[in-house]
Amino acid sequence: AFLSAGNAEIVNQMDPDKIPLLTEEEENNTLLTRYTIYKWYIEHLSLRGMPYEEQGFQLTPTHWIQDTHNIYLDYGINFGWPAMLMFVVFIWWGIGRLTRRAWKLRDVESFVCLLVVLLPPVFGMFEFAWGAGMISTVAFYFAFKEIFSVQVLDETREER
């Protein structure tokens, strides 16, 4: 009963993102908390993204959320849903390519590279793991370049 009839006039003047969505007790439910965070950010996805200052909402009376807790949603909220879709396609297309290559060559190096490349995108589905300009993003793309190197393509063609 945060929103009682007695303070309805005040609530009408408040920014809707400042009204707590969960009680302190509900915040202890991890699934409900994640669902609430994802739902808010999905509802606020746009074509061009959202400025950082406008991102976030009041989860509980004492807890402000300004992080999507999901790398894919983070790209969508910062750069727009088209960039998010391109990011998802790029990442998972590359992982599919690397998986086919590792399966075909059956060498340890390929499987290790696949494992290294899989960690950020899988962990990123459940928590913000890396972002534009972070060292982990740079390291990820160095590992990812293995997919596109000329030597790799030549080895794959020779195996056929």
Side-chain angles (χ1 to χ4, degrees), residues 46-96:
S46 66
L47 188 62
R48 297 180 57 197
M50 176 185 282
Y52 185 76
E53 321 60 74
E54 296 176 20
Q55 294 178 24
F57 65 98
Q58 197 72 39
L59 183 66
T60 66
T62 59
H63 196 167
W64 177 262
I65 295 291
Q66 189 138 11
D67 179 20
T68 61
H69 293 79
N70 180 297
I71 186 62
Y72 307 103
L73 271 178
D74 196 69
Y75 270 75
I77 208 73
N78 285 313
F79 307 115
W81 63 263
M84 178 182 72
L85 289 177
M86 288 177 14
F87 179 69
V88 168
V89 168
F90 173 74
I91 295 298
W92 291 100
W93 171 76
I95 288 171

